[in-house]
Each structure stands twice: as C-alpha cells, then as structure tokens.
Amino acid sequence: MDDKKIEESKKKNEEGRELLMKREYRKARQAFDEAIRLDPKNARAHSGKANALFGLEELEKAVKEMEKALELAPDDKEILDNYGAYLFNMGKHKEALGVAERLTDLVHPFTLSQVQHFHDLGLRERVLTLPVMVALVLSMIWRQIGSASTLPSA
C-alpha cells in the first residue's frame, strides 16, 4: 500500500466524518466506502461506515462493519464504545455488557495510574472522582446529541 493511497483514504475518512455531523448518511457512507477502497485496513473508515449505516437504520450491517473495525483495531476505545452502544440499542444487552467489560479493562489501568499520580502528589483519591464523574456524564450527554446543529437555538 503506498503512502498516497493512505493519505487519500484519510481525507475521504475526514470527509465522511464531516458528512456524518451534517447527518448526510448516504453521502457519508459513500465517502467511507471510498476510504476503505483506498485503504482496506483503515479501521476508522470502517467505524465511520458503521456510523453511517447506523444513521441509515441498517443496524445489522452497522454491527458487522464495526466488527471489521475492531478486527483492525481491537483496543480502540472509541470503536469499542460505539460497538457496545450499537449492541445495546439492538437489545443485545449481554453482548453489550461484554464490550463494556472489555472497555473497562482498557481504561481501568489508566485510571489507576492517575490515582497513583495523585497519591504521589500527596492528594487523596477523591480528587480524581469529580473529574471522572463529570467526564462520564458529559460523554453520556454527548452521545445523545447528534451534533451541535441539533441543539435548540437561543
């Protein structure tokens, strides 16, 4: 695979992401298809295509595409998070829980290292609790908003 195709794939992937934000799912899917054609190992393009398929309410296809993305990038937290959300929205709660556990396994060591860092600074663990809770709440809210354009205007 030459570098030119990889760069073109990244550009098409970015184009697809912009189209997703505009909720232009069919055009986004086309952009991601082109990104995948240029670089079949572009996990982000497979993930983006899954998001477009999800927007088009092609849920089974979205899950299969997200699984392809996970084959290419098994430790990608964003892809895992989206995959778990898809499974949950499809009523596959057991499978979604398994994905959540995998995500926790990836994130937990980082959280523990942060706790150790705060201990080393002479601070207590509770200092970490508020930022983590705020981050979790904001991520839950963010997932419910398709884009800033869906927010009510003042």
Side-chain angles (χ1 to χ4, degrees), residues 10-71:
K10 287 179 182 179
K11 287 179 184 176
K12 280 293 180 182
N13 186 61
E14 188 57 37
E15 178 185 324
R17 290 176 64 88
E18 289 173 14
L19 289 165
L20 279 178
M21 294 302 289
K22 296 176 184 176
R23 296 179 180 230
E24 294 182 27
Y25 301 120
R26 290 193 197 293
K27 289 180 182 178
R29 180 182 179 181
Q30 291 171 346
F32 291 123
D33 280 338
E34 180 64 15
I36 292 166
R37 186 189 67 75
L38 291 164
D39 179 9
K41 294 183 180 181
N42 185 337
R44 290 296 175 147
H46 285 282
S47 174
K49 181 178 178 180
N51 290 331
L53 289 165
F54 192 81
L56 293 168
E57 298 182 12
E58 296 181 35
L59 306 183
E60 291 293 331
K61 288 181 182 179
V63 167
K64 287 186 187 328
E65 197 64 38
M66 196 61 78
E67 288 170 350
K68 287 179 190 174
L70 281 171
E71 286 175 21

Side-chain angles (χ1 to χ4, degrees), residues 99-126:
V99 172
E101 289 171 0
R102 171 76 177 120
L103 195 54
T104 300
D105 290 344
L106 290 172
V107 174
H108 190 67
F110 175 73
T111 304
L112 290 178
S113 72
Q114 288 295 312
V115 168
Q116 184 59 48
H117 178 67
F118 281 107
H119 278 255
D120 293 345
L121 293 173
L123 302 172
R124 298 188 319 216
E125 290 179 27
R126 282 187 270 168

Side-chain angles (χ1 to χ4, degrees), residues 79-96:
I79 294 172
L80 275 168
D81 184 46
N82 285 337
Y83 182 57
Y86 291 176
L87 292 172
F88 186 84
N89 284 329
M90 293 173 69
K92 297 181 179 185
H93 300 128
K94 268 189 176 178
E95 293 94 333

